[in-house]
Amino acid sequence: MSWDISIMKFSRQFESVADIPDDEKLQVLGTRSSVRETISSIFQGTNWSGPARGVWNSHSGSIEFNLGENDPSEGVRLQVRAGKEVAPLIVELCLSNGWQGFDYSSGDFIEKSEAPESGHESWSSYRDQVIGSDE
């Protein structure tokens, strides 16, 4: 199980998913190589085991980055298995590149949220219900 976020780029910044018009098209984030470099600049030490997959490990867990099959890349899927303290790094990644991160747990763009870690809290609560909590 993971806290899932999809990073995309649109023709302009949207405040919420509801604001995206039906005819909006995804923009290119960059070449796989440039997207890997951009991610690695914030998530230093990411291990890119292939052109489309990287894993970042920290003391609180890991994040798997999936760039997809297309080059140039139109999106990145994050599978977060780390503590909520990674939320500001994900926000930084989005804001510094004009990208938007859709948080599947909250239904919001993580970089627009007043509490970007709220999706992680929802996900971890659900996870604890499903697999049980040690607490």
Side-chain angles (χ1 to χ4, degrees):
M1 295 183 78
S2 61
W3 175 35
D4 296 336
I5 297 169
S6 283
I7 294 180
M8 302 160 272
K9 184 175 182 178
F10 299 103
S11 61
R12 64 184 178 88
Q13 292 284 305
F14 294 101
E15 291 302 313
S16 76
V17 175
D19 296 336
I20 302 172
D22 291 339
D23 62 348
E24 179 67 24
K25 303 272 191 255
L26 289 177
Q27 307 294 303
V28 170
L29 298 180
T31 64
R32 277 194 201 161
S33 176
S34 69
V35 173
R36 286 191 308 262
E37 287 176 24
T38 299
I39 291 169
S40 292
S41 71
I42 293 174
F43 293 93
Q44 296 178 2
T46 299
N47 178 3
W48 294 98
S49 59
R53 181 181 176 274
V55 177
W56 177 78
N57 289 298
S58 74
H59 66 279
S60 73
S62 67
I63 300 176
E64 183 176 333
F65 298 95
N66 294 294
L67 278 58
E69 296 300 316
N70 296 330
D71 192 2
S73 179
E74 292 182 344
V76 179
R77 173 109 180 211
L78 282 64
Q79 294 175 292
V80 181
R81 295 176 185 93
K84 65 183 177 182
E85 61 272 6
V86 300
L89 294 173
I90 298 168
V91 169
E92 179 184 348
L93 180 65
C94 291
L95 292 177
S96 63
N97 294 286
W99 298 346
Q100 295 206 257
F102 178 72
D103 180 341
Y104 287 89
S105 294
S106 70
D108 297 323
F109 289 124
I110 190 169
E111 78 284 355
K112 300 291 183 179
S113 176
E114 289 182 26
E117 68 285 345
S118 65
H120 183 280
E121 291 166 355
S122 297
W123 166 75
S124 59
S125 220
Y126 172 74
R127 178 202 59 202
D128 292 348
Q129 277 184 325
V130 172
I131 64 172
S133 176
D134 291 340
E135 297 176 27

